Amino acid sequence: MQLTISTVVLSVLFASSLVSAAPLQARHKNTKGKKMMTNASSLQLNQAAGAAYFLTNEPSGSFVVAAAIGKDGQLTLAQATSTNGAGSHGQPGDGPDALFSQGSVKASANGQIVAAVNSGSDTISVFSIDPQNPTNLEMIGTPVGSGGQFPMSLAINDAGNMVCALNGGEVNGVACFSVDKTQGTVTPVANTVRSLNLNQTTPATGPAGSASHVIFSEDGSKLIASVKGVPPTPGIFAVWDIAQDGSLSQDFQAIQPATGGLLPFSMTVIPGKNAVFATDAGIGADILDLNAQPNNGVASGRSTVLNITGQGATCWSSFSNKTGNFYVTDIGTSEVTEVSLDDNLKPSIVKQYPQGNGVATIDNDIATVNGNDFMFVLAPNATEVKVLSLVAPGNAQALQTVDIAGPAKAAGLTVSAGHLQGMTAFIKP
Ligand SMILES: *[C@@H]1O[C@H](CO)[C@@H](O)[C@H](O)[C@H]1NC(C)=O
Ligand SMILES: *[C@@H]1O[C@H](CO)[C@@H](O)[C@H](O)[C@H]1NC(C)=O
Ligand SMILES: *[C@@H]1O[C@H](CO)[C@@H](O)[C@H](O)[C@H]1NC(C)=O
Ligand SMILES: *[C@@H]1O[C@H](CO)[C@@H](O)[C@H](O)[C@H]1NC(C)=O
Ligand SMILES: *[C@@H]1O[C@H](CO)[C@@H](O)[C@H](O)[C@H]1NC(C)=O
């Protein structure tokens, strides 16, 4: 606490004494493992409301790219931090969405940490977020073995001290890690390495039949991994129980999506409903009602599917607390679709927002800044991030298009359409 307060005081003093004193210097001095992408001073970056993070996921060495989130919701690419690990690309092909996943990089506001997968090194890297300047990351310890191969998605518990990885390669399944910021350690949690028994390869083969995303249930009692089907066989949601000591049940419960569901992809908790909103690359979206026991292995109760007519592959999702709606992205149509659920979890399409032909909208996240919600969408085929202002239900407005390629080139950072992946936001408490 004391440290935080004195840092605040110092930065305020700094701001008042120095801000007008000198013009901004070009700051493309790259220290080891860090690449500066902005001329903004650290004083200016200290004014940020938070940060958004995504991964370069390059086989030659992956970086977490951090953009400052301004008080107006706009992004400023600020710095890239090496994960000390390698990215990779699933097979076949070399197009966008290398990992067939959501959650390859994940921030926790409560833990003030960011975790990232190194899909080509079979490790994960966990960073401490600088509470003053959240674009500034410091690795906690060293990268740790992911407990399998081709790690591609991460979940962080509510307390922000346990990270679970989803491995999608030949050795697949989940594995969890305890994060101790004071000790500076990331250590495997006993009895959490659990197989999905997928017949897979390293790197993973997909998208059909590949793992997708891992999340904690809202009450923290379950760990859920989604797996795409191999048409015509639907995929599953694999559900493990989490014990008091953090260990996972030996076996998972396999739940198929409701009839019509095929390729479960991202999962977003439906607040207060013990249910999950999942995208489904085969139809649009699946609603998974965890209150109901599956009927012959198929989700039941209020579980259902949403047919998004004309969809290509709807794969990524997030929830806006302000509008109360879900926002999904489609890599095929490059559209954002806003979906509302009624009290009975029945979904309907509110509105669709085209983001530009062929930009390939993938990972996204939503953050609340001063009571306003903003959506950050990675558009790797244009090496851009699209920022939308979620003004009201049915009213999402284009706010900003952020170029990644130019600042990356200036900073000597390798980025490519086929490798960029992930999006997660952190807002200062
Ligand atoms: C930083 O300043 C230099 C020199 O003025 C300029 O060439 C460069 O484009 C600036 N970079 C950014 C990211 O604004
Ligand atoms: C695993 O997948 C490969 C490639 O599709 C296939 O040849 C093999 O028979 C599968 N093995 C099992 C046990 O299903
Ligand atoms: C979704 O709806 C469209 C239009 O009604 C229909 O052509 C398509 O077959 C439906 N898709 C599925 C998977 O049911
Ligand atoms: C969501 O909005 C409600 C009402 O405005 C607020 O009380 C709550 O803290 C918000 N939750 C989050 C996670 O921002
Ligand atoms: C990415 O861009 C290339 C070249 O313009 C295009 O051929 C391809 O279809 C695009 N991919 C996606 C997923 O939009």
Side-chain angles (χ1 to χ4, degrees):
M1 240 345 124
Q2 222 169 352
L3 181 71
T4 312
I5 289 165
S6 61
T7 316
V8 170
V9 171
L10 261 181
S11 74
V12 167
L13 287 175
F14 253 68
S16 53
S17 59
L18 290 185
V19 96
S20 56
L24 295 174
Q25 308 279 310
R27 299 180 71 251
H28 287 143
K29 307 178 268 193
N30 297 329
T31 55
K32 191 171 177 294
K34 303 246 185 196
K35 292 183 189 289
M36 299 307 300
M37 300 177 77
T38 178
N39 291 337
S41 66
S42 55
L43 298 177
Q44 288 173 318
L45 293 172
N46 284 351
Q47 312 284 312
Y53 311 93
F54 57 89
L55 280 184
T56 66
N57 183 39
E58 287 291 328
S60 58
S62 186
F63 283 75
V64 178
V65 181
I69 302 175
K71 295 196 166 69
D72 57 358
Q74 300 213 31
L75 298 183
T76 305
L77 289 180
Q79 65 176 306
T81 305
S82 168
T83 65
N84 288 347
S88 68
H89 199 292
Q91 49 192 349
D94 58 3
D97 186 29
L99 304 181
F100 312 127
S101 77
Q102 178 161 315
S104 55
V105 58
K106 183 77 185 164
S108 161
N110 289 341
Q112 304 215 335
I113 56 169
V114 181
V117 301
N118 298 307
S119 55
S121 310
D122 302 335
T123 59
I124 66 167
S125 302
V126 184
F127 301 86
S128 181
I129 297 174
D130 177 345
Q132 282 300 300
N133 171 4
T135 68
N136 204 17
L137 302 179
E138 208 61 59
M139 198 181 301
I140 301 173
T142 53
V144 55
S146 68
Q149 294 175 342
F150 197 71
M152 30 97 82
S153 180
L154 297 161
I156 305 181
N157 68 346
D158 188 53
N161 57 11
M162 180 155 143
V163 177
C164 294
L166 175 61
N167 291 291
E170 185 177 349
V171 180
N172 52 73
V174 292
C176 301
F177 304 84
S178 155
V179 179
D180 187 331
K181 287 174 79 173
T182 5
Q183 300 285 325
T185 55
V186 179
T187 44
V189 178
N191 300 312
T192 60
V193 179
R194 297 292 185 251
S195 180
L196 271 168
N197 304 312
L198 302 177
N199 179 15
Q200 263 292 353
T201 55
T202 302
T205 301
S210 64
S212 303
H213 191 200
V214 64
I215 62 165
F216 284 88
S217 60
E218 189 175 28
D219 66 3
S221 70
K222 291 176 169 57
L223 187 70
I224 312 174
S226 47
V227 181
K228 302 164 204 82
V230 180
T233 308
I236 58 161
F237 299 96
V239 184
W240 288 269
D241 292 317
I242 306 175
Q244 213 64 35
D245 63 358
S247 65
L248 301 181
S249 53
Q250 192 63 47
D251 299 315
F252 60 85
Q253 183 181 29
I255 310 177
Q256 284 184 2
T259 307
L262 188 61
L263 306 168
F265 206 109
S266 70
M267 296 176 286
T268 301
V269 159
I270 304 172
K273 298 287 190 185
N274 191 28
V276 169
F277 176 94
T279 51
D280 186 316
I283 185 158
D286 306 325
I287 308 301
L288 174 65
D289 181 358
L290 292 166
N291 296 295
Q293 276 303 307
N295 188 359
N296 292 323
V298 178
S300 63
R302 293 178 292 180
S303 298
T304 184
V305 299
L306 171 68
N307 182 346
I308 301 181
T309 306
Q311 68 108 31
T314 308
C315 303
W316 299 268
S317 55
S318 33
F319 174 74
S320 163
N321 194 39
K322 180 173 179 188
T323 68
N325 289 338
F326 294 82
Y327 295 78
V328 302
T329 49
D330 184 326
I331 188 174
T333 63
S334 292
E335 277 186 318
V336 172
T337 298
E338 180 178 349
V339 177
S340 71
L341 296 185
D342 72 9
D343 245 8
N344 233 5
L345 306 185
K346 193 176 173 308
S348 52
I349 295 171
V350 177
K351 197 168 175 179
Q352 295 190 290
Y353 309 92
Q355 298 300 308
N357 279 343
V359 304
T361 47
I362 61 169
D363 299 81
N364 61 74
D365 201 5
I366 292 172
T368 303
V369 182
N370 295 330
N372 297 311
D373 276 14
F374 299 95
M375 182 180 188
F376 308 108
V377 182
L378 187 63
N381 226 23
T383 47
E384 287 171 352
V385 179
K386 304 281 188 182
V387 184
L388 287 79
S389 173
L390 309 181
V391 178
N395 184 3
Q397 294 179 5
L399 180 68
Q400 186 192 18
T401 293
V402 183
D403 174 44
I404 303 168
K409 188 157 190 264
L413 178 71
T414 304
V415 296
S416 60
H419 284 95
L420 287 167
Q421 188 89 64
M423 181 62 68
T424 186
F426 166 86
I427 298 298
K428 289 180 184 175

